[in-house]
Amino acid sequence: MKIKKCLFPVAGYGTRFLPATKAQPKEMLPILTKPLIQYGVEEAAEAGLKEIAFVTGRNKRAIEDHFDITYELEDQIRGTSREERLDSIRGLIKECTYTYTRQIEMRGLGDAILTGNAIINNEPFGVILADDLCVGEEGIMTQMLKVYDKYKCCVVAVEEVPLDEVNRYGIISGQALDERHTQVETMVEKPTPDQAPSNLAIIGRYILTPEIFDVLRTTKPGAGGEVQITDALQTLAHQGKVIAYRFQGRRFDCGSIDGFVEATNFFYERMKQGK
Ligand code: UTP
């Protein structure tokens, strides 16, 4: 079955960016002139996932407004040179469809994904966490779809992280199939360095099969008292249904101040070089 839908869980509070995120979503923070969420939706659209599904929460209206027409503003700048600054978002609005559902209580990423079941139904789908901003010659989601086409099971994007940072991620280990693909056997959410089965960390890109919803329904809250997608995936990994993929490209953790600044510098340099 061809994958058409991409889920964006955007209900989190973004407390690391307070007070900036007090009254606006973290996903609307810009890297140069484009909000994080737009980079994520562009990556999905490039991969052909044009049915965009958001799991939102309170205070997230700005995301809906971003993917819609702003009549007054557009009227005001029509015919001026400033109008072209809207080209990228206008293109994206035309190219994709947008659907929203709300997570009522912020009970974790696993719970947010389960909330998305109402839009996704019974199909495999992509998941993008927009605060992980990824760049590559080829989009990371495009790369992951190729992995899905080959293995027809869940795919998680991974990268090596320093051992003293494993406690910020879901960490995997398993049977290496080749340099880039691992048949996942073990997954642990936020382990201490001595509990970590490796230093391969899951980043904010997934392809999930609809089986995940049934597993999530019975997954108990784990690390931090939240329902963890890693715990649900562990159940499928035991059945040999999860592949970890070391993607080609670079990721910026824009949910952290360091990553956000790095991404800003990276895109600024790129802009200066006219790319
Ligand atoms: P984070 O762990 O980065 O949490 O969530 P956060 O709330 O966004 O940010 P901090 O840690 O308070 O600064 C990872 C992703 O999962 C989504 C977030 O929106 C983010 O994209 N998420 C998390 C939800 O949609 N719902 C939740 O209950 C938790």
Side-chain angles (χ1 to χ4, degrees), residues 34-209:
K34 222 191 271 178
L36 283 170
I37 192 70
Q38 190 177 330
Y39 290 94
V41 173
E42 284 174 355
E43 184 184 324
E46 182 206 310
L49 310 189
K50 301 201 178 180
E51 294 178 32
I52 308 297
F54 291 103
V55 177
T56 69
R58 286 172 289 281
N59 265 338
K60 301 284 178 170
R61 256 282 307 270
I63 295 177
E64 293 178 45
D65 290 341
H66 189 68
F67 293 98
D68 199 350
I69 291 172
T70 316
Y71 283 105
E72 211 178 295
L73 164 79
E74 301 200 18
D75 201 42
Q76 193 94 62
I77 63 174
R78 182 161 303 123
T80 73
S81 60
R82 287 176 292 171
E83 195 175 9
E84 70 187 36
R85 295 185 193 150
L86 289 175
D87 285 354
S88 65
I89 185 63
R90 279 179 170 166
L92 216 48
I93 290 170
K94 275 212 193 96
E95 195 181 352
C96 302
T97 62
Y98 300 88
T99 312
Y100 302 83
T101 188
R102 267 199 187 202
Q103 188 185 14
I104 304 301
E105 286 174 275
M106 303 325 142
R107 299 200 314 127
L109 179 57
D111 181 64
I113 290 175
L114 182 56
T115 305
N117 189 193
I119 312 179
I120 300 295
N121 298 320
N122 198 26
E123 300 174 23
F125 59 104
V127 176
I128 291 185
L129 305 187
D131 47 4
D132 267 342
L133 175 50
C134 294
V135 288
E137 293 272 312
E138 182 175 49
I140 310 306
M141 192 45 83
T142 305
Q143 296 175 34
M144 291 176 74
L145 281 181
K146 290 181 185 163
V147 181
Y148 175 80
D149 281 343
K150 180 161 179 206
Y151 293 97
K152 297 278 182 268
C153 67
C154 294
V155 183
V156 295
V158 293
E159 73 174 9
E160 283 185 42
V161 296
L163 211 52
D164 61 353
E165 288 178 14
V166 290
N167 62 354
R168 291 170 28 195
Y169 297 93
I171 302 293
I172 68 109
S173 72
Q175 203 72 36
L177 302 173
D178 58 40
E179 203 187 307
R180 296 210 172 268
H181 303 81
T182 301
Q183 178 83 54
V184 179
E185 286 162 1
T186 311
M187 306 178 96
V188 195
E189 184 62 28
K190 300 190 172 62
T192 57
D194 54 316
Q195 288 168 337
S198 78
N199 67 339
L200 277 179
I202 305 173
I203 63 131
R205 298 289 182 278
Y206 305 79
I207 290 179
L208 301 175
T209 58

